Amino acid sequence: MSCHSTMATARFPGKSVDVAANWTAPVLGRPVCVNGTPWILYLLEECVDNVWEYCSVVIGLISMFCFLLSTLPQVYEAYRNGKVEEAMSFGFLFFLFSGDVTSFAGCYLTSQLPIQVVTVVFYIFTDLILISQFLYYKIKNSSGRKSPVLKWLCFMWCGAATLVLLALPKLIVDNSATLDTQSASTSRSVEVTGYICGYLASIFYLSSRFPQLYKNFQRQSTEGTSYMLFALAMMGNGTYGFSVIVVLPALKGSKQTFIIKHLAWLIGSLGVLVLDFFVTAQFIMYRKNYAAKSSKLLSVPEVEPLLCDEVELSVL
């Protein structure tokens, strides 16, 4: 997961001068895009006037959609299995959460669009659901009995987080105006801090896979974890990197500057993509162990009744 900079000139730092001719004079204080794609202009506030930028935006939206769905299969798998603390590494969840928090800070400080920041907040929300679910089943399974109080606390926590998530977009839009009115020196230092947060997020994202890889290796199994979590993350990271690269032919400014300003999020996305191939290999290798275990468990109930019947007949 990463800051999906698929919209606005903050994503294309060298592009603001190049596309200036595509904007008319301000109307009521706001410029009007002449040749841009209407739905992108309305939804993302970006003036897209060529096929490369159009493809970049569409691929970026696909990436965002993949990430939005990635955690849902794992939430269901944990609910169905009930032993998520045995299957998932808490280090994986912790680093994933830390990466999304620092990515949120980076997106906000580098003046990304509100829709991007809200999307990262959604990632943080799903991370908290996974962590809450992990802690709930860990406490429940260690105590060996059901706890209605614990269940109600989890419901209240998810409800409160949902309300915060619904109220956040308005706060972000209001605060973004404050950032835009800062002085040049202050704005520059804030932007540098944002890019530092982006590199920290990349480190956290890369670090998140190693605890889970070790956990799977230690158990020689991937049972209890949903492969769709990693498959959708791979699709999201791959399409994000492609969405950044595909826009390069349309840039008239410095392509090197463009890459440098996106390097932190590219490292995080493409680096995690490589590590997820190792996770995929573990799912393939350990599938035989899971199949053998399942067949062994299924064979036990078929044998026991026959043995019991033979014993009863011999007694008679």
Side-chain angles (χ1 to χ4, degrees), residues 15-24 32-35 47 49 252:
K15 200 178 115 179
S16 57
V17 176
D18 301 329
V19 300
N22 197 36
W23 295 83
T24 64
V32 177
C33 183
V34 179
N35 300 317
C47 191
D49 62 342
K252 297 178 183 178

Side-chain angles (χ1 to χ4, degrees), residues 39-283:
W39 71 268
I40 296 178
L41 180 64
Y42 175 79
L43 182 64
L44 308 177
E45 298 179 11
E46 182 183 346
C47 191
V48 171
D49 62 342
N50 62 70
V51 66
W52 297 106
E53 293 173 4
Y54 184 86
C55 291
S56 177
V57 169
V58 172
I59 295 170
L61 290 174
I62 294 173
S63 171
M64 186 180 296
F65 186 71
C66 290
F67 279 120
L68 290 176
L69 295 180
S70 63
T71 56
L72 298 181
Q74 182 57 45
V75 171
Y76 172 74
E77 178 68 21
Y79 173 77
R80 185 185 67 83
N81 185 274
K83 296 182 179 180
V84 64
E85 81 283 358
E86 297 179 5
M88 297 199 74
S89 167
F90 185 74
F92 166 72
L93 298 175
F94 173 78
F95 284 120
L96 194 65
F97 173 72
S98 301
D100 285 333
V101 169
T102 49
S103 181
F104 165 76
C107 288
Y108 182 73
L109 294 175
T110 53
S111 300
Q112 304 295 330
L113 280 179
I115 187 175
Q116 299 169 246
V117 184
V118 171
T119 303
V120 179
V121 172
F122 181 86
Y123 302 150
I124 296 174
F125 175 66
T126 54
D127 292 342
L128 291 175
I129 290 179
L130 287 174
I131 293 173
S132 301
Q133 201 175 36
F134 179 93
L135 295 176
Y136 170 77
Y137 283 112
K138 186 173 182 63
I139 296 172
K140 176 186 173 183
N141 294 334
S142 61
S143 63
R145 57 188 179 83
K146 294 183 179 180
S147 175
V149 175
L150 182 62
K151 182 180 292 187
W152 277 108
L153 284 175
C154 287
F155 280 129
M156 290 174 63
W157 157 247
C158 292
T162 303
L163 291 175
V164 172
L165 186 69
L166 293 173
L168 196 64
K170 175 64 176 173
L171 296 175
I172 291 174
V173 171
D174 292 342
N175 290 334
S176 61
T178 305
L179 285 177
D180 294 338
T181 58
Q182 292 176 341
S183 63
S185 59
T186 304
S187 178
R188 178 61 180 170
S189 63
V190 168
E191 186 180 17
V192 170
T193 304
Y195 285 115
I196 291 174
C197 289
Y199 280 103
L200 285 175
S202 298
I203 294 173
F204 284 130
Y205 288 137
L206 291 171
S207 301
S208 67
R209 274 12 183 212
F210 292 105
Q212 189 62 42
L213 284 167
Y214 177 73
K215 183 86 170 181
N216 294 341
F217 174 76
Q218 192 178 40
R219 298 167 60 229
Q220 293 291 295
S221 173
T222 56
E223 183 184 359
T225 56
S226 172
Y227 179 64
M228 288 302 296
L229 167 67
F230 299 97
L232 288 170
M234 290 174 70
M235 291 178 62
N237 282 315
T239 50
Y240 170 74
F242 188 52
S243 73
V244 174
I245 295 172
V246 77
V247 80
L248 289 176
L251 291 178
K252 297 178 183 178
S254 173
K255 293 179 174 60
Q256 183 177 1
T257 302
F258 175 82
I259 292 295
I260 290 174
K261 291 196 172 186
H262 289 83
L263 187 60
W265 287 278
L266 283 172
I267 290 173
S269 293
L270 300 182
V272 169
L273 176 63
V274 172
L275 292 176
D276 280 342
F277 278 110
F278 290 97
V279 177
T280 301
Q282 287 185 325
F283 272 89

